[in-house]
Amino acid sequence: MPIKLYRPTTSARRHTSTLVRVGITKNKPQKSLVVAGKKTTGRNNQGKITVRHRGGGSKKKIRIVDFLRDKLDIPAKVSFLEYDPNRNTNIALLNYADGEKRYIIAPEALKVGQTVMSSHKLIDLSPGNALLLKHIPAGMFIYNVELVPGKGGQLARSAGNSIYLMGFDGGFAQLKMPSSEVRLVDENCLATIGVA
């Protein structure tokens, strides 16, 4: 996604940059995948204010994003790329072949009309496909990586983040994190191909 750099017309504008949202739909979010954001406004279970100066603001619609990618071996077509105000990366609405709809975190190279899939077997290594770490060759960039098999993606979920798969050792995958830390993760964990 291209980045727009502003001219330094004022001192505040000097180092400002924004994402140019090309191909992002302006449709309303899928109603079945949206829940109302609950606000506590600094009150406890008795309704008493325990934290001061909180409250107000506009209502938030929380999009339910599928971090588990547990719908296995069913192809899904990308119908829309959407802006999510609650996170700094875009989300993609998937239409599965059986009629179900889900949101996922959209990788950079994902396009509308493309088909993605999640599987525990070896499948195509195109962006947006989720598969076990042991089926991904070393040297690839991945995101939305599980720490515990079946728990759902927890690593590298924000915009521009990715993890470099270095290799395998004794049933574990060696992952080079964005911080340059090398972490060992079970090779039976799911990961998604691409850069968030």
Side-chain angles (χ1 to χ4, degrees):
M1 194 164 287
I3 295 174
K4 178 182 177 183
L5 299 171
Y6 289 93
R7 288 192 193 137
T9 52
T10 65
S11 56
R13 268 282 195 232
R14 185 168 300 278
H15 299 290
T16 305
S17 63
T18 54
L19 282 175
V20 179
R21 302 195 182 277
V22 180
I24 305 300
T25 184
K26 293 187 177 177
N27 296 354
K28 290 192 173 179
Q30 182 69 30
K31 214 169 190 179
S32 60
L33 298 173
V34 171
V35 293
K38 177 94 172 65
K39 291 193 172 181
T40 59
T41 60
R43 294 166 195 272
N44 65 3
N45 62 343
Q46 299 172 339
K48 294 177 181 177
I49 295 176
T50 55
V51 181
R52 300 185 303 158
H53 313 302
R54 289 198 181 181
S58 58
K59 286 187 178 180
K60 282 189 176 181
K61 291 181 179 177
I62 310 295
R63 278 82 169 161
I64 301 168
V65 178
D66 178 25
F67 296 115
L68 283 170
R69 299 296 298 270
D70 56 353
K71 208 163 176 63
L72 301 174
D73 302 316
I74 300 173
K77 190 176 179 185
V78 179
S79 57
F80 294 112
L81 294 175
E82 295 184 18
Y83 168 74
D84 187 353
N86 305 309
R87 65 187 74 248
N88 58 10
T89 184
N90 295 322
I91 55 177
L93 180 64
L94 301 184
N95 285 342
Y96 283 90
D98 61 358
E100 189 178 348
K101 295 185 178 185
R102 289 188 182 186
Y103 280 125
I104 64 163
I105 293 177
E108 281 181 355
L110 197 68
K111 302 274 185 276
V112 174
Q114 195 172 326
T115 303
V116 297
M117 195 161 49
S118 179
S119 179
H120 285 180
K121 300 176 212 141
L122 187 60
I123 56 172
D124 185 30
L125 297 171
S126 60
N129 284 353
L131 52 160
L132 298 178
L133 284 169
K134 63 183 175 185
H135 295 312
I136 303 173
M140 293 209 65
F141 285 100
I142 52 178
Y143 75 100
N144 191 34
V145 182
E146 290 181 332
L147 281 171
V148 178
K151 191 176 181 183
Q154 293 178 279
L155 300 175
R157 298 190 330 192
S158 62
N161 256 350
S162 65
I163 293 174
Y164 182 72
L165 180 57
M166 294 175 67
F168 299 93
D169 183 31
F172 290 93
Q174 297 170 336
L175 305 179
K176 188 172 184 182
M177 308 295 286
S179 63
S180 298
E181 171 198 355
V182 176
R183 187 175 269 202
L184 294 178
V185 175
D186 190 340
E187 63 180 14
N188 293 310
C189 290
L190 268 180
T192 310
I193 306 292
V195 178

